[in-house]
Amino acid sequence: MDKDSDTALRVEGRVKWFDPSKGFGFVVSDEGGPDILLHANVLRNFGQNSVSDGAGIVLVVNRTARGLQATEVLKIEPPVATGAPPLEDAMHLTAEQVAALPLEPARVKWFDKAKGFGFANVFGRDDDVFIHIEVLRRSGLADLQPGEAIAVRVTEGQRGRLAISVGPWESALGPDGAFAR
């Protein structure tokens, strides 16, 4: 990496850890070197409030008097999946079938990281969508906040609607800014 403090660097790496309640976390560059501070505001500018430990990430980084700090998130890739389905109800779905499900705009009703699950409301529907912590992790997220705008891919589970993937709100918008269906 460049040693010039005025130079913005493009860095690829992995999230070491991120704590939404603290408002920051750290990234480790694929090239090595010191940890990179990732502030919650930088992550929010990308459209996410959290990111999962181990997620791949591409950042714009600046060197400051306090060390390396991310100034922009360019891309986030979910952590490498183990191949196992996140929940029993989704075992019948292939990756292609999941990707073919429509992205539905939703708002988080509540999510309890300690319990490992929560619920969201899809716009225009009365029934809740169950969100499991493992689905969040596989989607590259670590936590959700009440009222947070998200996009979900949903299937019918044994107990009702079940989120199979969760992403930023913007991913459910079409090029015209309207909800893509």
Side-chain angles (χ1 to χ4, degrees):
M1 283 199 257
D2 246 328
K3 301 231 189 300
D4 184 355
S5 64
D6 295 331
T7 304
L9 308 167
R10 183 179 185 276
V11 174
E12 294 183 30
R14 295 241 164 248
V15 176
K16 185 174 184 178
W17 63 267
F18 186 85
D19 186 336
S21 64
K22 291 182 179 179
F24 69 93
F26 289 94
V27 172
V28 177
S29 170
D30 288 346
E31 297 177 11
D35 290 353
I36 302 162
L37 175 67
L38 175 59
H39 194 273
N41 288 335
V42 174
L43 193 57
R44 275 190 217 102
N45 288 339
F46 183 71
Q48 289 186 203
N49 287 323
S50 68
V51 63
S52 181
D53 298 351
I57 192 164
V58 180
L59 305 166
V60 174
V61 174
N62 282 322
R63 187 175 300 279
T64 70
R66 296 173 136 187
L68 297 176
Q69 292 189 4
T71 56
E72 183 179 3
V73 175
L74 302 174
K75 182 178 179 182
I76 295 176
E77 291 288 327
V80 178
T82 61
L87 297 169
E88 220 31 59
D89 289 336
M91 289 185 78
H92 64 281
L93 297 175
T94 66
E96 294 78 23
Q97 289 171 317
V98 171
L101 292 170
L103 279 169
E104 300 184 55
R107 281 225 188 261
V108 176
K109 188 172 181 180
W110 64 269
F111 190 85
D112 188 328
K113 190 174 180 178
K115 290 182 180 178
F117 68 93
F119 292 91
N121 299 113
V122 171
F123 291 102
R125 296 190 64 131
D126 293 331
D127 48 347
D128 290 343
V129 174
F130 178 80
I131 302 173
H132 192 273
I133 188 83
E134 191 59 31
V135 170
L136 273 192
R137 288 186 185 123
R138 290 172 187 264
S139 299
L141 301 170
D143 201 1
L144 295 172
Q145 301 302 314
E148 183 176 348
I150 57 174
V152 292
R153 293 185 196 277
V154 179
T155 190
E156 287 296 326
Q158 293 177 355
R159 296 182 184 155
R161 291 174 44 87
L162 167 72
I164 297 298
S165 72
V166 180
W169 172 267
E170 293 79 13
S171 63
L173 300 179
D176 61 354
F179 297 126
R181 292 275 181 195

